[in-house]
Amino acid sequence: MSRRSQRLWKSVREALPKSGKTCLWLLGIILPLSLGVRLFDYYGAIDFLAAFLHPVFGLIGLPGALAIVFITSIFLPLYASIAVMASLAMTVREATILTLMCLVAHNLPVECAVTRKTGSSFLGMFALRIGMAFVVALFLSVLLPADDTPFLLAIQPERYTTLAEVFQAWVYSSVAIVLTIVVIVTLLMILQRILAEFELIDALSSPLRPLMRFFGLPDSSPFLWIVGNVVGLAYGGAVMADRIEEGKLSPEDSNTVNYHLSVSHSLLEDTLLFVALGINLWIIVGTRLLFATGVVWARRLIIYLGRIYNEKRHSTFST
């Protein structure tokens, strides 16, 4: 066996135990939460919460009836939101605003639980993403011109009439989730080990560091940013947790990256999904990156001002 093959095999051997541990960690978060949310939906709690958002939606130029889409998005993956959108009449303009809201705030119980394991507050991330969804919606409601073009889809939402159907759907989806997580996480862990073994992470990261600095992110973030935007926040969190455990990423840097990824992640799959449905590519990507950058720099400014305030306060007490 050649030296290169030995190093590749060594990377695989080192990655597999980490992969197994990380898969169990992710599944321990995702499976119980996904069942809880399905039960939440079955008993009508999502419809009940949507009723409270009707007046708020009027402030951002959307019909109150569309609130159910956003509430569904908060608790479920994007495909559920799309299914609900299919049952409602709306214009392309309204669909664009709603799409950005859902892209910023979706599947929050799962994704915020993952980011909590990588240095961020669960409630803080939950509140940030809901708040930013409305900020983005207000921005687009002002920016986008009036348009009565209808938005049409041909997808029907899932309807469950018994608890047995709910559990059956959960079991089927869980099998798909388990297989997806095992495959993706294992491949990511092997890739990370190979890149580290051949000292390629820095080579891949260096060209992106100026862009990361523009985003307000630390120099350790390019690889995490790539993973988060290619395969999503949950899988990006798995890689992030592994790097924290190895001491290659500080919790503070991880938290900073989470602020960016909370607003803009999975730019590949999620963007292509909605572009295929007729939403403008540049509005999706440009808006998410704009507000993700704004969130990080606003946080840095708040930290900086807080530090100055504490220093002045300390000097006052000292004198």
Side-chain angles (χ1 to χ4, degrees):
M1 184 180 291
S2 68
R3 173 63 176 164
R4 178 175 296 179
S5 298
Q6 288 177 345
R7 294 175 71 184
L8 287 171
W9 178 236
K10 173 176 174 286
S11 299
V12 172
R13 288 200 318 271
E14 290 177 350
L16 290 180
K18 287 278 188 180
S19 170
K21 179 180 177 182
T22 303
C23 287
L24 290 175
W25 168 64
L26 278 177
L27 292 171
I29 293 172
I30 292 173
L31 294 183
L33 284 175
S34 66
L35 176 59
V37 169
R38 283 183 181 273
L39 293 173
F40 197 59
D41 184 32
Y42 174 75
Y43 284 110
I46 289 179
D47 291 343
F48 178 77
L49 288 174
F52 289 96
L53 281 180
H54 279 227
V56 180
F57 264 50
L59 298 176
I60 55 176
L62 292 178
L66 299 185
I68 183 64
V69 178
F70 182 59
I71 290 294
T72 301
S73 170
I74 288 174
F75 293 100
L76 294 166
L78 285 172
Y79 290 97
S81 306
I82 292 171
V84 177
M85 286 175 71
S87 65
L88 302 171
M90 67 187 77
T91 66
V92 171
R93 180 182 184 275
E94 291 166 347
T96 299
I97 295 173
L98 200 55
T99 291
L100 267 299
M101 293 185 75
C102 293
L103 284 170
V104 172
H106 61 265
N107 204 17
L108 296 189
V110 169
E111 294 190 349
C112 291
V114 171
T115 54
R116 184 178 69 85
K117 294 288 188 178
T118 56
S120 300
S121 162
F122 179 96
L123 292 178
M125 285 290 119
F126 203 101
L128 172 69
R129 292 179 66 176
I130 292 178
M132 288 308 302
F134 280 99
V135 170
V136 167
L138 183 60
F139 170 77
L140 290 176
S141 69
V142 173
L143 182 69
L144 296 178
D147 182 9
D148 294 329
T149 306
F151 179 71
L152 301 175
L153 290 172
I155 305 170
Q156 292 302 316
E158 293 177 304
R159 303 290 184 187
Y160 303 120
T161 57
T162 66
L163 272 177
E165 290 180 354
V166 173
F167 280 99
Q168 184 181 47
W170 176 73
V171 170
Y172 289 156
S173 67
S174 295
V175 171
I177 288 171
V178 170
L179 293 175
T180 302
I181 286 178
V182 169
V183 171
I184 292 180
V185 170
T186 301
L187 291 176
L188 280 174
M189 291 299 171
I190 291 173
L191 174 62
Q192 183 183 334
R193 283 293 179 280
I194 290 173
L195 292 175
E197 175 68 24
F198 290 91
E199 300 179 351
L200 294 175
I201 290 181
D202 280 343
L204 291 174
S205 300
S206 293
L208 287 176
R209 284 197 177 113
L211 180 63
M212 296 301 104
R213 289 167 189 157
F214 174 78
F215 289 153
L217 299 176
D219 285 346
S220 58
S221 62
F223 181 65
L224 302 173
W225 187 86
I226 293 171
V227 172
N229 278 293
V230 172
V231 295
L233 190 58
Y235 300 116
V239 174
M240 200 179 296
D242 184 52
R243 291 182 69 79
I244 291 173
E245 187 178 324
E246 291 184 342
K248 296 177 180 177
L249 181 70
S250 71
E252 174 56 31
D253 283 355
S254 169
N255 189 30
T256 302
V257 175
N258 281 338
Y259 271 82
H260 179 97
L261 292 179
S262 68
V263 178
S264 179
H265 62 271
S266 195
L267 278 181
L268 183 62
E269 178 186 357
D270 292 354
T271 300
L272 292 177
L273 174 64
F274 281 99
V275 167
L277 299 176
I279 307 300
N280 185 281
L281 167 70
W282 302 110
I283 291 177
I284 293 175
V285 175
T287 303
R288 295 185 78 186
L289 288 177
L290 172 66
F291 282 93
T293 304
V295 162
V296 173
W297 280 109
R299 177 177 178 270
R300 289 170 69 98
L301 178 61
I302 291 170
I303 292 172
Y304 174 73
L305 293 176
R307 188 180 300 121
I308 291 177
Y309 173 77
N310 288 332
E311 288 174 357
K312 287 183 177 179
R313 188 179 178 189
H314 179 72
S315 62
T316 301
F317 284 140
S318 299
T319 56

